[in-house]
Amino acid sequence: MADIPLVSHIPPPDPSSTSAIPAPIPPSTTPPSIPNSKTLLAWAPLYLSKTDAVIEHLDAVLSTPAGTDNFLNAVCYTSLLASSLLRKSVEFKLHGTIKRAAQLWPKVTLRLGDSGENSRALGVAKRLKGLSGLISEIRTFGRLFGVIALWRWGRGVGVRMRTEDVDGRKDRIGEMVEASQVVVNVLYQVLENGAYLSERGILGWGKETQNWAWIWSSRFWGAHIGLDFLRLGRECLERRRRVGEGKKEGMGMGEEERRWWRQVIVDCAYAPLTVHWGIEGGIVSEFWVGVLGSVAGGMALSNAWRRTVV
């Protein structure tokens, strides 16, 4: 190997020069001081007031049926997601142990007993899944009375459709989309209610009819999601038209547009779930049900939180 020539005749650095690069100052190694009891007591009113404001806001959200359903929805799917993640973590650990053992002792039959840590994790996962199932049933029971709200919604749509077009700006297609949403939601509600009440022994539908009703109720819910995408698309076009006419100023994203995007995210998360529940056997795993449901539930709860005025 050839020798690397040494670089010589380099003048020494001049520390007195104004162009010299200052040496970096080492960061302070002094640990932050721990607040004493007097400081914590002084902070207590501030934290209590903030906690009180959050609880008061949450109480306002839960005071409406829609707000309560959004809150339960978020808890339901996040519990299911946490349960799935815990089980997957235990399976991953056991799989790694079995793989290493098979490499070391390929001819030995290995029997693994659950460790205390794995048993606790699986126990928590089971409880979280039980909580998710209980909340799902509570929400299904609460939707038994949704026909009343659908009646009011349909009546309002009918009144608007009978209103004469005075200024030529009436959205007939939008009204037809909303009317179609009312119809598919009524069909969804009737089938889900019938399947649930028959499952509980209140109605007389057989098991085969119940399964058919569960699947088709999900398909009608999927039809509602599809129509909602059409509605959101028309809202986007209408907003662009207003901007083009100079009726909306400002370059930033307004609250109306934020609400529109949040609803798009909710529908995008629900769409695969409607397909999953609308096909016998489903198409996604429990983990993805938890992920998609958590996104939709969390965003819906965020919408309810923003809409609620304390």
Side-chain angles (χ1 to χ4, degrees):
M1 180 181 294
D3 293 335
I4 300 176
L6 296 176
V7 179
S8 58
H9 306 296
I10 298 178
D14 183 9
S16 63
S17 174
T18 57
S19 62
I21 301 175
I25 301 175
S28 176
T29 57
T30 304
S33 59
I34 300 176
N36 54 31
S37 58
K38 291 183 179 181
T39 304
L40 293 175
L41 289 175
W43 290 349
L46 175 62
Y47 285 107
L48 287 176
S49 63
K50 289 185 177 181
T51 303
D52 181 70
V54 172
I55 292 177
E56 187 175 355
H57 201 150
L58 180 60
D59 180 64
V61 171
L62 297 178
S63 64
T64 62
T68 301
D69 184 69
N70 289 326
F71 176 77
L72 291 176
N73 190 22
V75 176
C76 173
Y77 285 112
T78 52
S79 299
L80 183 63
L81 177 59
S83 172
S84 178
L85 288 174
L86 281 173
R87 287 200 309 274
K88 283 184 176 296
S89 66
V90 173
E91 292 173 0
F92 180 77
K93 291 179 182 178
L94 292 177
H95 177 75
T97 303
I98 294 173
K99 186 176 180 180
R100 288 192 298 270
Q103 292 174 348
L104 294 174
W105 305 288
K107 296 182 179 181
V108 174
T109 302
L110 184 65
R111 294 181 179 179
L112 291 176
D114 285 340
S115 65
E117 182 181 354
N118 290 341
S119 297
R120 287 191 295 271
L122 291 174
V124 173
K126 182 179 179 181
R127 292 183 179 91
L128 287 172
K129 187 174 182 179
L131 174 63
S132 177
L134 175 61
I135 294 177
S136 179
E137 183 173 351
I138 291 173
R139 294 184 65 232
T140 304
F141 178 80
R143 285 196 298 269
L144 289 173
F145 310 97
V147 178
I148 300 174
L150 288 174
W151 173 271
R152 295 182 59 190
W153 183 18
R155 185 185 62 183
V157 173
V159 170
R160 289 196 299 274
M161 293 182 70
R162 290 193 300 269
T163 304
E164 295 184 1
D165 189 0
V166 178
D167 57 359
R169 292 294 180 85
K170 192 170 183 180
D171 187 3
R172 294 291 185 184
I173 298 179
E175 290 176 348
M176 291 299 297
V177 169
E178 193 173 5
S180 300
Q181 283 186 306
V182 173
V183 172
V184 297
N185 273 278
V186 169
L187 295 172
Y188 152 70
Q189 193 72 73
V190 169
L191 289 175
E192 185 188 69
N193 290 357
Y196 176 72
L197 293 175
S198 298
E199 194 177 71
R200 294 298 167 184
I202 300 173
L203 295 183
W205 295 2
K207 190 65 178 178
E208 184 176 350
T209 305
Q210 291 176 33
N211 293 335
W212 176 88
W214 283 121
I215 289 175
W216 274 97
S217 66
S218 298
R219 291 176 180 176
F220 283 122
W221 181 28
H224 165 78
I225 297 296
L227 290 167
D228 211 43
F229 280 122
L230 183 58
R231 177 186 66 83
L232 291 169
R234 293 188 63 80
E235 284 186 7
C236 181
L237 293 176
E238 175 64 18
R239 186 168 60 251
R240 290 183 178 181
R241 181 187 66 80
R242 293 201 308 268
V243 172
E245 294 179 355
K247 294 183 178 181
K248 189 175 181 182
E249 299 178 357
M251 298 299 293
M253 184 184 296
E255 181 57 31
E256 179 184 356
E257 191 171 355
R258 292 191 188 93
R259 185 167 57 249
W260 184 88
W261 276 110
R262 288 195 293 267
Q263 188 58 49
V264 168
I265 294 173
V266 170
D267 287 347
C268 286
Y270 273 141
L273 293 179
T274 62
V275 177
H276 169 69
W277 287 314
I279 297 177
E280 189 171 358
I283 59 173
V284 297
S285 65
E286 188 177 89
F287 168 77
W288 285 109
V289 172
V291 170
L292 295 170
S294 296
V295 172
M299 191 62 66
L301 180 60
S302 175
N303 290 340
W305 188 275
R306 292 171 180 269
R307 288 195 304 265
T308 304
V309 180
V310 181

